[in-house]
């Protein structure tokens, strides 16, 4: 019999292959963070974190330390690694100080604020890297504990699998199939190594033959793992059915008619905040223009979005109503590179789709091009479109609005009932004494914004909802999203049909002035006002910006971020009435500094060529791994990937169920009658949200009674109960102490909440039930 120390050394040596392969599983998952960050070097500190975490876990385990000591050492090592790698400039000889911790807290807070706005790939801010580092240390600790203390296999790879799926869900870029194959190979390799170690150390083979048995198992298992990984990474994407339609149409959309979309304003702040120099597309045209994605004609108090989502095939002449006033043709040849949206840009107003490498759809009322429903985005598309661009003069825009307005235009004047009255009052004050024509009123609003407000990207919070509009008007500073959204809301309060357009400024021109390179930093939003005879007319309230070809009626010379190249000018036109400094580089107007990020050379990007046929699908496109799992067909998905995804889903369901139960207990234990009535109301609102999440949560400016009225259709026969419950919560919150302290209110409120919840759950479809199980947003939403 071997001495105990010899047995320990033997066991330690046999575990080395499993330890190394488990670390490789983690590193494959960490490599997925390249999908989230625009700079590949960001993965290096994360890889260091993974290796360090595995080394600490192995060392503490081999020393026989318990759970408390292991956790303490891992936490200390994490803090030290973060201090040395991420915060060397505020640490003392590599050791964290109070300043280090304060800076880390601030960075995490900023990362949390930006998480909902920034779209991958994003620059690697310290806050994001810090959060990812902590997640990796936690994942590694759990993996090592499961693998070598609990001796479990599936549980050991689940944390790394969760990281892998997280980056696949949020990230984008090529290489999804090779990444999944690498994860499968390392996972199978770890399972084999762990099984081999058990065969050697557990004495399950004939005495004296353990080494031989382990070697035989390793050889056979390695062959199986190699075949499985090869099939997953090479053969599966090309097998029959791998590219067929999904068995379950989880997108629930018809690519030939309507399509559910999200507002592109969700994306604009991330492009602006991070000053991205990523080339999103190139366009060849005789002159610059604003390259428009779409227009947003519905404002619900929270977000500007599309009212119409009906699209038809875009081929040849596009059904539309071009302006009757002065316009000229502009032919544009687009090459989309890294736009990352379903929209296809074009100058206002497209009238003819001359050629395209992909199928595009068209909405005439919004003058919008969009990719077909089975495509994730317009990246790599090449198309040529002809537009009628405006060349209006003030004389072309003198027509008054018809009375009454047609239904379509009347809808474009609607405002949510909860919008602050200061918006309309300010609009009336600004336009006092102005002739009541749409052009005169819109021009007065534009000039007021340009003369009284400052463009400020860094010092203002995001958003364009009612609260953001109030804050923007009070501060007198903001960025294009808020200028455009507030202008449109104020114009509607004056009875003008108005909407918000989203797109890009011209970008950087080449020496010939006919090829424009457009980057993420060129993202822009501006308002459009309907004027009879001219159609939807763009205005420019954002200081430091000016649309080419519109200076005759806006009084604003073409201008954009001066760091974007020589394609536009930033001087003020003589006699322009766009307000002091309109279209200038006056620092008071907050022109974005060109030194925010080093610019890329335009000639480093090949110029757009003629439209080409669609690229062949080699299985390594930008689709995320989860898309592969849901759409590629069973042959393209390895068993290990399915197990990882299933494990993450189960974990998500269990965690969310625990969060919901804890929140309900916390609500119901709240002291006092008002708090318990509000708890019952919150339970009812949760049920409504889970049944029909598209109705949206209660807006900040929306009363409980207004919310009950808006969502009455969701609960059908229980609508009176919901309305009564809203009345009770109002009484309990605002009534005098005597009424608010009546315990009978609690009993009645809880009964009404149960009736509303029962009816809501009865009316839920299977999609709503599934969504309620896995969607974390309601559990995180404050009530």
């Amino acid at each position: 019999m071997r001495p105990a120390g010899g047995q320990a050394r033997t066991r330690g040596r046999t575990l080395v292959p499993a330890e190394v392969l488990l670390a490789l599983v983690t590193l494959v998952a960490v490599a997925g963070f390249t999908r989230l960050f625009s700079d590949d070097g960001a993965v290096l500190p994360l890889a260091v974190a993974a290796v360090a975490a595995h080394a600490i876990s192995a060392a503490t385990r081999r020393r026989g330390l318990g759970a408390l000591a292991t956790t303490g050492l891992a936490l200390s090592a994490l803090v030290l690694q973060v201090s040395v790698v991420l915060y060397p400039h505020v640490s003392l000889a590599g050791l964290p100080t109070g300043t280090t911790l304060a800076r880390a807290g601030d960075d995490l807070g900023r990362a949390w604020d930006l998480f909902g706005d920034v779209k991958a790939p994003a620059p690697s801010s310290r806050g994001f890297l810090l959060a990812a580092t902590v997640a990796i240390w936690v994942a590694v600790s759990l993996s090592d504990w499961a693998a070598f203390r609990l001796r479990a296999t599936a549980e050991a790879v689940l944390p790394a699998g969760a990281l892998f799926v997280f980056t696949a869900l949020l990230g984008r870029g090529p290489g999804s199939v090779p990444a999944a194959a690498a994860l499968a190979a390392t996972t199978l390799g770890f399972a084999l190594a762990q099984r081999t170690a058990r065969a050697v150390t557990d004495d399950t083979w004939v005495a004296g033959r353990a080494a031989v048995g382990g070697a035989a198992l390793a050889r056979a298992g390695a062959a199986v793992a190699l075949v499985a990984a090869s099939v997953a990474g090479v053969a599966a994407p090309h097998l029959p059915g791998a590219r067929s339609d999904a068995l379950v149409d989880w997108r629930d959309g018809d690519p030939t008619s309507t399509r559910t979309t999200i507002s592109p304003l969700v994306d604009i702040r991330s492009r602006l905040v991070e000053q991205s120099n990523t080339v999103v597309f190139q366009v060849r045209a005789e002159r610059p223009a604003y390259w428009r994605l779409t227009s947003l004609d519905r404002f619900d108090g929270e977000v500007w979005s599309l009212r119409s989502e009906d699209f038809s095939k875009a081929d040849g002449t596009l059904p539309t109503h071009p302006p009757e006033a002065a316009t000229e043709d502009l032919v544009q040849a687009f090459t989309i590179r890294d736009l990352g949206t379903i929209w296809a840009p074009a100058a206002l107003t497209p009238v003819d789709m001359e050629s395209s490498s992909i199928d595009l759809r068209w909405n005439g009322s919004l003058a919008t091009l969009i990719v077909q429903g089975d495509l994730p985005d317009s990246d790599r598309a090449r198309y040529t479109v002809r537009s009628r661009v405006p060349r209006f003069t003030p004389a072309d825009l003198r027509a008054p609005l018809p009375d009454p307005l047609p239904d379509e235009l009347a809808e474009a004047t609607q405002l949510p009932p909860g919008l602050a009255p200061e918006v309309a009052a300010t609009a009336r004050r600004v336009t006092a004494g102005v002739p009541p024509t749409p052009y005169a009123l819109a021009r007065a609003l534009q000039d007021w914004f340009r003369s009284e407000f400052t463009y400020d990207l860094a010092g203002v919070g995001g958003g364009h909802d009612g609260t953001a509009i109030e804050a923007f008007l009070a501060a007198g500073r903001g960025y294009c999203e808020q200028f455009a959204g507030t202008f449109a809301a104020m114009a509607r309060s004056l009875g003008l049909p108005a909407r918000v357009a989203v797109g890009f400024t011209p970008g950087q021109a080449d020496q010939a002035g006919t090829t424009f390179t457009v980057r993420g930093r060129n993202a822009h939003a501006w308002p459009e006002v309907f004027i009879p005879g001219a159609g939807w007319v763009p205005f420019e309230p954002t200081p430091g910006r000016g649309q080419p070809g519109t200076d005759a009626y806006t009084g604003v010379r073409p201008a954009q971020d001066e760091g974007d190249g020589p394609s536009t000018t930033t001087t003020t036109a003589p006699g322009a009435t766009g307000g002091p400094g309109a279209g200038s580089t006056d620092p008071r107007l907050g022109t974005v500094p060109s030194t925010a990020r080093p610019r890329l050379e335009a000639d480093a990007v090949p110029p757009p060529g003629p439209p080409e046929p669609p690229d062949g699908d080699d299985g390594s496109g930008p689709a995320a791994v989860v898309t592969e799992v849901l759409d590629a067909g069973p042959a393209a998905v390895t068993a290990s990937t399915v197990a990882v995804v299933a494990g993450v889903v189960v974990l998500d369901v269990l965690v969310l169920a625990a969060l919901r139960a804890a929140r309900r207990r916390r609500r119901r234990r709240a002291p006092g009658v008002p708090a318990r009535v509000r708890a019952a109301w919150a339970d009812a609102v949760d049920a409504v949200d889970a049944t029909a999440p598209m109705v949206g949560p209660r807006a900040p400016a929306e009363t409980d009674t207004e919310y009950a009225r808006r969502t009455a259709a969701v609960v059908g026969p229980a609508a009176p109960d919901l309305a009564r419950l809203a009345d009770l919560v109002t009484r309990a919150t605002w009534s005098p102490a005597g009424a608010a302290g009546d315990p009978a209110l609690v009993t009645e409120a809880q009964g009404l909440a149960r009736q509303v919840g029962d009816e809501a759950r009865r009316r839920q479809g299977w999609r709503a039930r599934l969504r309620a199980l896995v969607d974390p947003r309601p559990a995180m939403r404050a009530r």
Side-chain angles (χ1 to χ4, degrees):
M1 180 177 294
R2 292 192 188 104
Q7 289 180 343
R9 286 192 295 272
T10 300
R11 176 173 174 79
R13 287 194 299 270
T14 59
L15 288 180
V16 169
E19 291 171 332
V20 171
L21 284 162
L22 184 60
L24 288 177
V25 172
T26 304
L27 288 174
V28 169
V30 168
F33 280 90
T34 56
R35 295 166 174 254
L36 302 185
F37 298 128
S38 57
D39 46 334
D40 294 338
V43 178
L44 181 58
L46 302 183
V48 170
V51 173
H54 275 288
I56 291 295
S57 296
T60 55
R61 171 170 35 81
R62 291 183 182 224
R63 296 292 297 177
L65 299 183
L68 185 60
T70 298
T71 302
L73 285 175
L75 183 59
S76 300
L78 167 62
V79 173
L80 182 62
Q81 188 237 332
V82 167
S83 178
V84 171
V85 176
L86 298 182
Y87 295 95
H89 55 296
V90 289
S91 62
L92 180 61
L95 298 176
T97 64
T99 304
T100 309
L101 298 178
R103 187 69 60 85
D106 293 341
D107 288 343
L108 281 176
R110 281 191 292 270
W112 179 262
D113 292 337
L114 283 175
F115 183 73
D117 295 328
V118 174
K119 180 178 180 180
S124 53
S125 69
R126 281 196 182 91
F128 288 145
L129 290 177
L130 176 57
T133 299
V134 172
I136 288 169
W137 272 84
V138 171
V140 169
S141 298
L142 293 175
S143 294
D144 190 89
W145 189 275
F148 304 113
R149 296 184 187 257
L150 301 181
R151 307 181 71 185
T153 302
E155 291 83 350
V157 298
L158 185 57
L163 292 178
F164 184 87
V165 173
F166 174 81
T167 57
L169 284 170
L170 298 184
R172 53 187 305 276
S176 57
V177 171
L183 182 69
T186 52
T187 299
L188 289 172
F190 161 72
L192 169 63
Q194 189 187 46
R195 178 67 184 87
T196 303
R198 288 180 191 171
V200 173
T201 59
D202 291 352
D203 292 328
T204 54
W205 292 77
V206 177
R209 302 291 293 170
V212 176
L217 179 62
R219 287 193 298 270
V224 173
L226 179 62
V227 171
S230 300
V231 171
V234 179
H238 303 286
L239 291 176
R243 300 294 172 188
S244 60
D245 293 338
L247 297 177
V248 178
D249 185 9
W250 68 284
R251 292 184 179 90
D252 196 25
D254 180 2
T256 63
S257 57
T258 62
R259 177 176 188 155
T260 301
T261 61
I262 63 171
S263 170
L265 281 179
V266 173
D267 179 50
I268 193 172
R269 178 168 169 79
S270 63
R271 297 185 188 270
L272 290 171
V273 167
E274 301 300 340
Q275 289 291 285
S276 170
N277 274 299
T278 300
V279 175
V280 291
F281 61 84
Q282 287 184 297
V283 54
R284 191 169 62 242
E286 292 181 355
R287 49 193 173 275
Y290 274 10
W291 315 118
R292 187 174 175 279
L293 295 180
T294 188
S295 55
L296 311 173
D297 57 353
R298 177 172 56 193
F299 183 48
D300 61 4
E302 290 288 322
V303 68
W304 287 90
S305 58
L306 284 72
R307 186 183 306 275
S308 171
E309 295 186 343
D310 292 328
F311 292 87
S312 58
K313 185 175 179 60
D315 187 14
T317 301
L318 302 175
T320 188
H321 301 288
E324 300 172 9
T327 60
E328 58 185 11
D329 285 359
L330 180 64
V331 177
Q332 313 125 72
F334 284 89
T335 298
I336 310 301
R337 300 203 179 277
D338 195 18
L339 184 57
T341 74
I342 59 177
W343 317 99
L348 184 71
T349 304
V351 293
D352 187 71
M353 177 57 64
E354 296 186 356
S355 61
S356 177
S357 65
I358 63 172
D359 289 332
L360 293 173
R361 318 295 295 174
W362 168 250
N363 183 300
S365 63
L366 300 176
T368 294
L369 291 166
I370 195 172
V371 300
Q372 187 165 298
D374 57 351
L375 296 176
D377 53 46
S378 58
D379 289 359
R380 296 188 295 176
R382 293 171 178 258
Y383 58 93
T384 300
V385 61
R386 182 169 60 87
S387 299
R388 297 266 181 88
V389 295
R391 288 293 183 267
F392 305 139
T393 66
D396 297 320
L397 307 175
R398 298 190 184 280
L401 289 172
D403 187 17
L405 288 173
D407 290 344
E408 182 178 355
L409 294 181
E411 289 179 347
T413 65
Q414 294 177 357
L415 287 170
L419 190 65
E422 289 80 7
V423 177
T426 303
R428 290 192 298 269
R429 176 174 58 81
V430 170
T431 58
V434 174
T437 64
Y439 170 65
L441 295 171
R443 177 64 185 270
L445 289 176
Q446 173 198 272
D447 294 350
W448 176 73
F449 277 114
R450 295 185 68 88
S451 62
E452 300 294 333
F453 281 64
T454 300
Y455 183 95
D456 184 358
L457 182 60
V460 66
H464 44 270
D465 59 13
T467 303
I469 288 177
E470 293 180 65
F472 171 63
L473 290 175
R477 58 198 313 112
Y479 64 102
C480 62
E481 174 189 354
Q482 294 162 322
F483 278 99
T486 304
F487 179 107
M490 293 174 67
R492 287 189 171 194
S493 73
L494 299 174
L496 302 182
R499 63 190 188 185
V500 174
V502 180
F504 294 83
T505 55
Q508 182 178 351
D510 63 0
Q511 291 184 349
T514 57
T515 298
F516 301 88
T517 299
V518 182
R519 294 180 165 87
R521 67 184 301 148
N522 294 115
H524 191 44
W526 62 94
E528 296 175 343
V529 174
F530 185 86
I531 300 178
W536 289 98
V537 178
F539 286 85
E540 186 51 275
T542 303
R545 303 294 185 270
Q547 184 165 180
T550 65
D551 48 321
Y553 71 90
T554 63
V556 177
R557 291 289 298 274
Q560 63 178 343
D561 177 355
E562 66 173 353
D564 292 324
S567 62
T568 59
T569 179
T570 55
T571 59
T572 304
T577 58
S584 76
T585 57
D586 187 336
R588 293 172 300 167
L589 300 181
T591 301
V592 179
S594 61
T595 57
R597 283 190 174 272
R599 289 194 298 111
L600 303 178
E601 293 297 330
D603 57 5
V605 183
E612 297 176 352
D615 295 330
D617 191 348
D618 61 0
S620 59
V625 172
V626 172
T627 304
E628 296 285 341
V629 171
L630 293 174
D631 283 347
V637 184
T638 66
S640 60
T641 304
V642 172
V644 168
V645 174
V648 171
V649 171
V650 170
L651 182 62
D652 180 53
V653 171
L654 294 176
V655 170
L656 290 180
L659 286 175
R660 284 190 288 263
R663 188 170 65 173
R664 283 194 297 269
R665 286 195 300 271
R666 187 171 62 252
R667 286 173 180 167
R668 293 168 183 173
R669 292 174 181 174
V673 170
R676 296 174 67 186
V677 172
R678 285 194 296 270
W681 169 253
D683 288 343
V685 171
D686 282 348
V688 173
D689 283 354
T691 302
M694 294 304 293
V695 303
R698 189 173 69 84
E702 188 177 30
T703 66
D704 296 325
T705 300
E706 290 169 341
Y707 174 83
R709 188 180 304 119
R710 177 167 66 88
T711 59
V714 176
V715 293
D721 298 323
L722 185 62
R724 173 60 179 165
L725 184 55
D727 179 62
L728 289 182
V729 75
T730 302
R731 287 175 53 196
T733 303
W734 304 108
S735 294
D742 184 1
L745 291 179
V746 176
T747 303
E748 184 179 1
Q750 290 175 343
L752 292 170
R754 281 194 297 272
Q755 294 175 25
V756 171
D758 290 344
E759 181 60 28
R761 284 184 286 272
R762 190 185 67 81
R763 297 165 69 88
Q764 279 183 353
W766 68 268
R767 289 188 181 90
R769 292 192 183 95
L770 180 61
R771 186 188 303 111
L773 282 175
V774 300
D775 189 353
R777 292 171 297 178
M780 299 170 63
R781 187 179 300 144
R783 295 289 185 210

